[in-house]
Amino acid sequence: MVVPEFDAIVVGSGITGGWAAKELTERGLKVLMVERGPDVKHGEYEKEWLEPWNLPFRGYGDPEELLRTKRIQSAARLNEWNMDYFVNDEVDIYDTPEESNFQWIRGYQTGGRSLVWGRQTYRMAESYFEANRQDGHGVDWPIRYQDLSRWYDHVEEFIGVNGSVEYLPTAPDGRFQPTMGFNAGEQKFADVITANYSDRRLIPGRGANLTKEIGSRAKCQYRNWCSRGCSFGAYFSTQSSTLPAAYATNRLTLLNNAIVEVVEFDPMTRRATGVRIIDAKTGQKSVRSARVIFLCAGSINSVSILLRSTSEAMPNGLGNSSDKLGRYIMDHAYRVGATSTIPGIDDQMYLGRKPNQICIPRFVNLGDKKGNFLRGYSYSGSARRLNWSRGGATAGIGEQLKAELREPGPWQIRMQAAIETLPRESNRITLNTSKKDSYGLPLTRIDLRYSDNERIAAQHSHSELLKMFSLLGGKIVQSNTELAPPGTSIHEMGGACMGKDPDQSVVNAYNQLHDASNVFVTDGSAMCSTGDRNPSLTFMALTARAAATAVSMLQNGKL
Amino acid sequence: MFQMANHRGGLNRRDLLRIWAMGAIAVPQVGLLAGCSDRSPYSDAQKQMDLLTRLSELVLPATDTPGAGSPNVTKFLQMAIGGSAHSVHPKMIADIGAWLDQAGDESFLAQSPRKQAESLSTLDQITFNLDVGSSIAAQHAWASLKPLIVAGYYSSEAGASVELIYEPVPGRFENITISSDYIARSNEGHGEKW
């Protein structure tokens, strides 16, 4: 019998890959972390400190390069400082039907999207784990909030999450560092909502920026430059947090520029034996072996790897004996919202650039109150004063314009809804085997379409928002009722859903493939439903829990 | 140094509408002429640069701090103006130049500084203060070029760190009541779409 090289292989080094590496190495496993992109070392963020006048395109990026290589990635908050952390759309191609128009936004480097994520960090509400069972859409979660509660604690305490305790059922409180609070505009909106509504509240966002040091990681310096990379280590990323912890065990090997083509499967033992890798630079293939595999490549890539991993025993892909692999993909429907001015606080300003949002947790369709759509939405956004860029959009030239732009502009508040997408079997990832990418891999085909439920929820959220904004006494300066294309939220989930029944799901309650118990899928692909808040904390908690399970099973001879 | 106030040229809304209407009727030919690169007075690259430099200085003039009519800003504009990937194309500069020539009854660059300021201010007011839509090519062009000039200036070292305050590490977040000596920080606008 061949002795595996490693105890565990972790595929992907992003939000969940880093967590898997940390938890597995800290529990004594020798781990290989395989990352398809190049390395980015903490503290060596090339453009972090560059002033705009020292960048070739002053921070905006070359318009021609952006159009050619970031046409899809531009849906994210792209600028010249962070654009290298997003893939090249000319190279990293995929397939999506016109009716879906899925925008697949991602980054291929150490840290993945943990380098550029929005850092909003929320637990999934207790009731949300019941949603599939209650309305019959999707597969019933095989776990409940109580199964994850202590793992949420574990993750929050390690990464550091700033937030305020609010006792709201749709935004469970966590182990928070001091909140970043509100600015004056946000406070005013919070006050008018509190004065006029008993069923909802505006709260400061919960974010993975430190307001208290953790170890060598410093407190946030309020630069709001997070997506450039932060040498202070003040927000959670693989680089700042989980990778150093894993390296400290001396049990981690990181392999960069290595694309996992397939998971290798032994039909006799019904176990994975390792992964086959394509060197991204040379095209050479190699096989690395391990006792346990953690797929943490991001929902779409983890599912794609499994779909590619066909064999005589697994003709439709590894883990797909149920024909549910790739199905029930979901995300949050985004961009419906509005912007209002905020009169009456013109003498108020802020110093520092708060890298945090505000949130109105879900208040619709709770308890006995039901609307004409299922599930619900929450809002996020921020208030700010317009900056010098307003000078290009208003009348005025000359000395007076210059003098005006020395002062802050009017207050505005912008909020948008995050709408829960119902799980649907027809929304799925498949492989387009008639087209290949530059690595010879069949194109991933992503077909996620919103339905009337999301659209009705969107209209409701817009109408409610305008009512709330009207309480400010300002003017609506921007308003949008159209959902952005799927993928825009960068919260893609599903495709390898958890479930009790192997005929209806892909992984079990511990994220193990029903078909191969030593393969754990712990990124967003395992989610059965999306809720309406940023999901990364749940991915991290599931990963930490699954890692503990894997080690325990190895130690007990069950794997 | 010629000191310019914020010009509206003493024009009220009715005047602006009248000027806009004259432009909408009379100027399409000028727009067409401007579009024919071999006949436009602003088809010459140097003349375009001279025009851009002058427009930049009029929008954000030198005061106690440098103005936007500097090589740094012009260099940014050269880079930002281009083909289909860009928000501003050379033809649009020619459209603006042609409109300003006609507004002042002579080549804009030959107009006196006061007249230049009046001509540009009128175009600016029509573009941003009248709710008539951009039916004139020059209006549409100015609505796209002005944000570039502003972006070019406030992302330059002079605009970002001499005129305003460039604050790389605020170190804290604090809600304040604005004092009379408060000066805006330049950082928040950098890298956003102009």
Side-chain angles (χ1 to χ4, degrees):
Chain A
M1 188 175 100
V2 175
V3 174
E5 281 179 275
F6 293 93
D7 296 315
I9 291 174
V10 172
V11 180
S13 68
I15 292 257
T16 54
W19 263 97
K22 167 191 159 347
E23 293 291 302
L24 293 170
T25 52
E26 285 182 340
R27 290 166 196 277
L29 299 198
K30 186 175 149 205
V31 173
L32 174 69
M33 185 154 79
V34 182
E35 166 52 51
R36 68 182 286 162
D39 199 16
V40 175
K41 289 193 169 14
H42 184 50
E44 295 177 16
Y45 306 113
E46 205 187 312
K47 297 180 187 172
E48 181 184 358
W49 293 96
L50 284 178
E51 302 92 344
W53 55 89
N54 283 323
L55 281 169
F57 292 90
R58 298 281 187 83
Y60 299 105
D62 178 352
E64 284 168 18
E65 186 187 350
L66 285 170
L67 187 66
R68 202 179 62 250
T69 69
K70 308 288 180 196
R71 189 177 47 83
I72 294 162
Q73 307 310 301
S74 294
R77 287 173 297 266
L78 220 62
N79 56 46
E80 198 167 350
W81 286 277
N82 64 25
M83 58 190 277
D84 294 338
Y85 297 145
F86 292 86
V87 300
N88 182 333
D89 287 322
E90 273 190 321
V91 171
D92 293 300
I93 56 176
Y94 63 100
D95 195 17
T96 182
E98 214 174 289
E99 300 91 334
S100 169
N101 190 25
F102 189 91
Q103 308 293 294
W104 189 14
I105 296 150
R106 66 258 189 247
Y108 291 158
Q109 62 271 325
T110 301
R113 287 176 290 189
S114 78
L115 274 180
V116 297
W117 69 310
R119 309 166 311 283
Q120 291 296 286
T121 311
Y122 293 81
R123 298 186 178 206
M124 188 130 126
E126 203 169 323
S127 61
Y128 292 1
F129 288 90
E130 296 278 350
N132 289 4
R133 185 188 63 77
Q134 281 175 353
D135 61 32
H137 289 271
V139 180
D140 184 21
W141 282 90
I143 60 172
R144 293 295 185 260
Y145 180 85
Q146 290 74 14
D147 297 299
L148 275 189
S149 173
R150 74 177 180 96
W151 296 102
Y152 279 137
D153 293 347
H154 176 67
V155 170
E156 283 166 350
E157 282 166 359
F158 180 79
I159 73 174
V161 177
N162 72 76
S164 55
V165 173
E166 300 282 347
Y167 305 104
L168 289 169
T170 53
D173 296 319
R175 299 284 174 95
F176 294 139
Q177 295 199 334
T179 178
M180 285 188 167
F182 290 138
N183 60 36
E186 293 159 353
Q187 186 66 62
K188 183 162 181 184
F189 192 42
D191 291 343
V192 298
I193 290 176
T194 300
N196 289 274
Y197 293 94
S198 58
D199 65 348
R200 68 195 73 169
R201 202 146 81 232
L202 181 76
I203 65 171
R206 281 102 188 243
N209 283 72
L210 298 182
T211 49
K212 269 171 58 170
E213 297 90 355
I214 294 180
S216 61
R217 295 176 56 205
K219 285 193 297 189
C220 181
Q221 299 296 304
Y222 295 93
R223 303 182 297 168
N224 201 20
W225 287 353
C226 310
S227 63
R228 303 181 185 192
C230 176
S231 297
F232 293 101
Y235 75 94
F236 171 76
S237 66
T238 295
Q239 275 85 343
S240 71
S241 310
T242 46
L243 195 58
Y247 272 137
T249 67
N250 288 319
R251 286 188 278 269
L252 178 71
T253 304
L254 170 60
L255 182 63
N256 284 99
N257 301 303
I259 302 168
V260 170
E261 182 181 9
V262 299
V263 173
E264 303 237 312
F265 179 71
D266 180 348
M268 299 300 293
T269 59
R270 310 284 300 170
R271 299 278 171 90
T273 55
V275 296
R276 189 160 77 229
I277 288 169
I278 303 173
D279 186 304
K281 292 185 173 177
T282 65
Q284 295 265 42
K285 296 196 186 187
S286 60
V287 174
R288 309 307 292 262
S289 58
R291 301 158 71 196
V292 163
I293 311 292
F294 265 69
L295 286 181
C296 303
S299 307
I300 297 171
N301 272 323
S302 286
V303 168
S304 298
I305 290 169
L306 290 170
L307 284 169
R308 291 196 294 263
S309 303
T310 55
S311 60
E312 204 175 311
M314 298 278 164
N316 299 318
L318 180 58
N320 200 16
S321 56
S322 60
D323 190 37
K324 301 302 181 207
L325 181 63
R327 296 188 186 272
Y328 296 108
I329 58 170
M330 309 158 281
D331 76 343
H332 292 132
Y334 251 35
R335 295 275 166 88
V336 168
T339 306
S340 172
T341 61
I342 312 177
I345 51 169
D346 286 345
D347 62 340
Q348 299 300 301
M349 186 48 190
Y350 41 84
L351 295 176
R353 304 184 288 276
K354 178 160 63 79
N356 201 12
Q357 294 186 353
I358 53 179
C359 168
I360 301 175
R362 175 175 152 189
F363 53 87
V364 292
N365 291 343
L366 299 177
D368 296 328
K369 281 195 307 174
K370 300 285 182 220
N372 59 345
F373 57 94
L374 295 172
R375 310 215 184 168
Y377 55 82
S378 61
Y379 300 96
S380 59
S382 60
R384 59 173 194 147
R385 296 196 71 151
L386 294 189
N387 57 56
W388 52 259
S389 64
R390 72 189 188 279
T394 50
I397 63 170
E399 265 184 39
Q400 188 170 333
L401 173 66
K402 213 172 162 190
E404 276 169 13
L405 297 183
R406 273 196 181 178
E407 295 171 19
W411 278 97
Q412 285 189 358
I413 182 164
R414 180 175 194 145
M415 301 290 284
Q416 68 160 8
I419 295 159
E420 178 161 1
T421 306
L422 290 180
R424 289 184 198 86
E425 224 181 328
S426 56
N427 285 334
R428 63 187 300 207
I429 298 164
T430 53
L431 295 179
N432 183 341
T433 51
S434 65
K435 289 189 197 169
K436 297 220 177 352
D437 66 11
S438 56
Y439 306 107
L441 298 174
L443 291 196
T444 294
R445 181 174 170 87
I446 310 165
D447 190 353
L448 168 52
R449 307 179 199 196
Y450 296 135
S451 75
D452 286 344
N453 195 71
E454 282 85 67
R455 284 185 275 275
I456 295 169
Q459 295 302 319
H460 193 272
S461 73
H462 187 262
S463 146
E464 285 295 313
L465 182 60
L466 291 188
K467 285 186 214 159
M468 288 188 275
F469 272 170
S470 70
L471 300 169
L472 289 168
K475 206 174 74 159
I476 300 297
V477 294
Q478 175 267 338
S479 176
N480 174 44
T481 54
E482 293 297 314
L483 291 174
T488 304
S489 62
I490 325 180
H491 291 166
E492 63 273 12
M493 295 176 250
C497 298
M498 294 175 114
K500 287 187 181 130
D501 182 353
D503 289 336
Q504 298 299 323
S505 56
V506 178
V507 301
N508 66 14
Y510 293 97
N511 297 77
Q512 291 170 283
L513 284 184
H514 290 298
D515 288 341
S517 56
N518 68 337
V519 179
F520 291 78
V521 188
T522 70
D523 52 33
S525 57
M527 299 281 283
C528 298
S529 64
T530 68
D532 52 63
R533 286 275 83 215
N534 313 66
S536 297
L537 188 70
T538 301
F539 302 170
M540 292 189 240
L542 284 170
T543 300
R545 177 172 173 270
T549 301
V551 173
S552 170
M553 292 178 88
L554 278 170
Q555 287 168 347
N556 294 335
K558 289 182 182 165
L559 271 185
Chain B
M1 186 69 67
F2 189 88
Q3 301 292 315
M4 285 176 285
N6 189 34
H7 273 269
R8 195 169 166 156
L11 298 169
N12 61 26
R13 181 181 163 82
R14 197 168 54 186
D15 291 331
L16 288 171
L17 273 170
R18 183 170 45 80
I19 292 167
W20 173 81
M22 281 166 56
I25 297 163
V27 173
Q29 297 90 330
V30 177
L32 279 173
L33 277 174
C36 300
S37 56
D38 56 345
R39 288 156 75 181
S40 163
Y42 296 98
S43 60
D44 173 72
Q46 184 56 54
K47 196 108 187 271
Q48 279 221 354
M49 279 304 111
D50 292 343
L51 175 63
L52 284 171
T53 302
R54 191 68 197 128
L55 291 175
S56 301
E57 187 64 22
L58 285 165
V59 172
L60 293 161
T63 51
D64 55 343
T65 63
S70 73
N72 274 335
V73 177
T74 312
K75 192 173 159 202
F76 170 77
L77 294 176
Q78 268 179 303
M79 198 175 60
I81 293 169
S84 57
H86 300 250
S87 61
V88 176
H89 316 136
K91 179 193 173 305
M92 292 160 82
I93 311 303
D95 289 340
I96 291 169
W99 195 96
L100 291 171
D101 288 350
Q102 184 167 39
D105 283 325
E106 61 174 327
S107 166
F108 177 73
L109 291 172
Q111 295 174 24
S112 70
R114 175 170 280 279
K115 206 168 171 192
Q116 285 177 336
E118 282 174 1
S119 302
L120 182 60
S121 183
T122 303
L123 176 61
D124 185 65
Q125 292 290 329
I126 287 169
T127 302
F128 292 108
N129 257 353
L130 285 187
D131 187 19
V132 291
S134 54
S135 61
I136 315 176
Q139 231 180 309
H140 170 69
W142 183 240
S144 297
L145 179 62
K146 190 184 186 187
L148 269 190
I149 291 173
V150 171
Y153 179 66
Y154 287 103
S155 64
S156 71
E157 188 168 7
S161 68
V162 179
E163 168 61 19
L164 299 184
I165 294 174
Y166 180 75
E167 191 172 39
V169 188
R172 83 280 180 242
F173 182 78
E174 198 184 326
N175 288 308
I176 61 165
T177 301
I178 297 177
S179 57
S180 57
D181 61 350
Y182 177 86
I183 294 179
R185 278 51 173 169
S186 59
N187 301 74
E188 246 188 25
H190 292 145
E192 292 175 1
K193 294 266 181 270
W194 50 68

